[in-house]
Amino acid sequence: MRIHFLLCCFLLSIGFSYAAKVDTLMVPSAAMNKSIKTVVIQPENAKGKTLPTVYLLHGYSGNYSNWVNKVPAIKALADQYQMYIVCPDGGFGSWYWDIPNDTNYQYETFVSKELINYMESNYEVAKDRSKRAITGLSMGGHGALYLAIKHQDLYAAAGSTAGGVDIRPFPNNWEMAKRLGEYSEHADSWNAHTVMEMTHLIKPKSLALFIDCGTEDFFYQVNTRLHEKLTYMNIPHRFLTMPGAHNWDYWSKSILFQLVFFNDFFTTPIK
């Protein structure tokens, strides 16, 4: 009830009177030899400022327009916190990986190189890593942590909402075997591509992390185990659970907490 109350207070405070500009772009990807649709939410009064950027990833079977269409308040959040929010298309089931020798699946390169370069060449966004964050839902939650851990030189903060943070309990789901091979035959590849086995790569004080998941979500157990592992390894992070399942009703609430966390980080960075 408290979460619903806070969300209602926020919505009443903004009055839905956002003025953020929403661009739908075709961002070229040399790695995939095609252009990728991307939504860029530019906050009101952004001209002449170098504002922080949050890269916001969609889930499996989703697309670039999900966040702005399913959560209209996302525009108000961009205005409220004076941040760019960038929502790239991650394909139907890319998991935001680069797959060797497959030019259709080079989404790590696209998001963490080509898209960042495009944004910093075409918008007045801050170019310092301390003003760059990444998060997402489900497949995108895993993708955000995966990319942030692999590219700690680019991202200073990362999040995941209802993320599939350990893919191995789901070897027959969501086309992952098409990308990595069957788990029974390619366990090493699966281990290398799952966030749960990447925690040792997190450098001390390198990433500000926020992880949340609904208690009725089928990813709840893997998120709890990731939290326990990070705690055991003494890796600072925020962990939030609240009632909710794997759906937009939950994500439309959780994104508020994610963006509050990033705003706090951007305005008072962790030393």
Side-chain angles (χ1 to χ4, degrees):
M1 292 296 293
R2 178 174 172 78
I3 292 167
H4 286 281
F5 174 75
L6 291 172
L7 184 64
C8 289
C9 288
F10 168 75
L11 294 177
L12 287 172
S13 71
I14 61 175
F16 294 102
S17 58
Y18 45 76
K21 179 183 178 183
V22 178
D23 295 329
T24 300
L25 311 172
M26 296 295 290
V27 179
S29 170
M32 291 187 281
N33 194 30
K34 61 182 178 182
S35 293
I36 309 296
K37 283 189 175 181
T38 301
V39 161
V40 176
I41 304 172
Q42 178 177 307
E44 185 179 20
N45 301 322
K47 189 173 182 179
K49 302 176 183 178
T50 53
L51 299 178
T53 307
V54 174
Y55 292 87
L56 181 57
L57 309 182
H58 66 77
Y60 174 81
S61 78
N63 62 53
Y64 65 97
S65 68
N66 283 167
W67 279 107
V68 74
N69 287 337
K70 302 285 189 180
V71 189
I74 201 81
K75 298 184 283 290
L77 290 165
D79 281 342
Q80 178 87 0
Y81 299 128
Q82 286 292 285
M83 60 175 64
Y84 283 83
I85 299 176
V86 182
C87 306
D89 199 288
F92 192 88
S94 75
W95 286 82
Y96 301 95
W97 296 321
D98 277 359
I99 302 302
N101 304 315
D102 190 341
T103 55
N104 290 314
Y105 291 94
Q106 300 295 310
Y107 283 92
E108 176 185 343
T109 294
F110 174 68
V111 174
S112 293
K113 181 180 179 182
E114 295 172 328
L115 181 57
I116 288 176
N117 289 342
Y118 182 92
M119 285 299 303
E120 295 183 354
S121 298
N122 291 277
Y123 289 87
E124 294 179 283
V125 298
K127 298 181 179 181
D128 186 271
R129 68 178 290 272
S130 67
K131 301 296 183 182
R132 194 183 298 126
I134 187 168
T135 190
L137 69 89
S138 193
M139 176 184 84
H142 182 279
L145 295 178
Y146 176 85
L147 295 176
I149 293 170
K150 290 196 71 176
H151 300 278
Q152 293 170 62
D153 59 322
L154 298 177
Y155 305 104
S160 169
T161 181
V165 295
D166 190 351
I167 61 174
R168 296 167 301 178
F170 311 95
N172 301 314
N173 296 79
W174 310 303
E175 301 182 2
M176 294 184 292
K178 291 183 179 180
R179 314 283 171 255
L180 304 178
E182 296 293 333
Y183 180 44
S184 60
E185 300 175 6
H186 300 277
D188 288 346
S189 181
W190 283 67
N191 290 339
H193 286 82
T194 189
V195 166
M196 191 67 77
E197 293 300 321
M198 299 173 66
T199 54
H200 66 285
L201 299 175
I202 299 174
K203 300 173 184 177
K205 301 181 180 180
S206 176
L207 285 173
L209 297 171
F210 183 95
I211 299 161
D212 74 75
C213 194
T215 53
E216 287 74 55
D217 197 302
F218 51 78
F219 283 143
Y220 177 70
Q221 293 299 326
V222 294
N223 276 271
T224 299
R225 287 197 289 271
L226 178 61
H227 161 60
E228 292 170 348
K229 185 176 184 183
L230 292 172
T231 301
Y232 178 77
M233 297 177 68
N234 199 30
I235 296 174
H237 64 287
R238 303 279 181 87
F239 181 61
L240 171 68
T241 64
M242 52 188 176
H246 202 78
N247 55 38
W248 281 102
D249 183 60
Y250 176 84
W251 301 323
S252 64
K253 299 176 180 66
S254 65
I255 190 60
L256 173 61
F257 295 92
Q258 291 271 334
L259 294 182
V260 166
F261 175 80
F262 292 133
N263 179 64
D264 287 347
F265 174 78
F266 291 144
T267 53
T268 55
I270 296 173
K271 302 300 181 181

